[in-house]
Amino acid sequence: MKPTVLFVCVHNAGRSQMAAGFLQQLGEGRIEVLSAGSQPADSVNPAVVEAMAEVGIDIATEQPKLLTDSAVQTADVVITMGCGDECPFYPGKRYEDWELDDPAGQGVEAVRPIRDEIKTRVEALIASL
């Protein structure tokens, strides 16, 4: 059975979308990937879309999604990115909190180092699954 990973940040417009994009590509179909936010934005951050396009990952068609209890229940691993207490907790799940700068309101120059840090963490995550 494929492991399922859920990435959560408040707006589901930046960090969690980048992480999901990397895991989709680097996981090569071996991992189910979900992302969501407790207060989803209207659209994915354009600087994030641009930064990901630079590394060959197209997330332009992604839409921020509302975090649901069922998404958390489905996931084997829940990775939060600064959403604090807004993530529901279920026993038996693996939780990780990734402290990452928020790309909201930043230009692509500021998003690139966040993107690269996320890629490194996603690679380590894949190795651990």
Side-chain angles (χ1 to χ4, degrees):
M1 194 175 111
K2 286 202 256 190
T4 300
V5 176
L6 170 64
F7 293 105
V8 180
C9 65
V10 176
H11 301 300
N12 190 217
R15 294 164 289 189
S16 54
Q17 292 284 355
M18 287 191 280
F22 277 125
L23 189 55
Q24 297 265 13
Q25 184 190 58
L26 300 170
E28 298 171 339
R30 297 182 310 247
I31 301 163
E32 284 296 323
V33 182
L34 305 170
S35 73
S38 50
Q39 299 166 12
D42 294 330
S43 61
V44 176
N45 178 334
V48 166
V49 172
E50 183 179 339
M52 291 300 284
E54 290 175 353
V55 294
I57 299 175
D58 180 8
I59 61 168
T61 59
E62 294 296 326
Q63 279 297 311
K65 292 170 272 317
L66 181 63
L67 177 64
T68 61
D69 274 5
S70 66
V72 178
Q73 287 172 315
T74 302
D76 299 298
V77 182
V78 179
I79 308 233
T80 57
M81 300 173 167
C83 71
D85 296 327
E86 297 185 53
C87 296
F89 185 84
Y90 291 97
K93 305 272 177 214
R94 176 175 151 197
Y95 286 85
E96 289 183 25
D97 187 52
W98 292 0
E99 285 291 323
L100 296 161
D101 292 334
D102 189 344
Q106 305 286 329
V108 71
E109 299 77 19
V111 173
R112 286 184 190 117
I114 303 169
R115 173 199 68 200
D116 296 343
E117 168 74 10
I118 289 171
K119 181 179 183 193
T120 300
R121 290 180 186 227
V122 166
E123 289 168 339
L125 174 67
I126 291 168
S128 77
L129 289 175

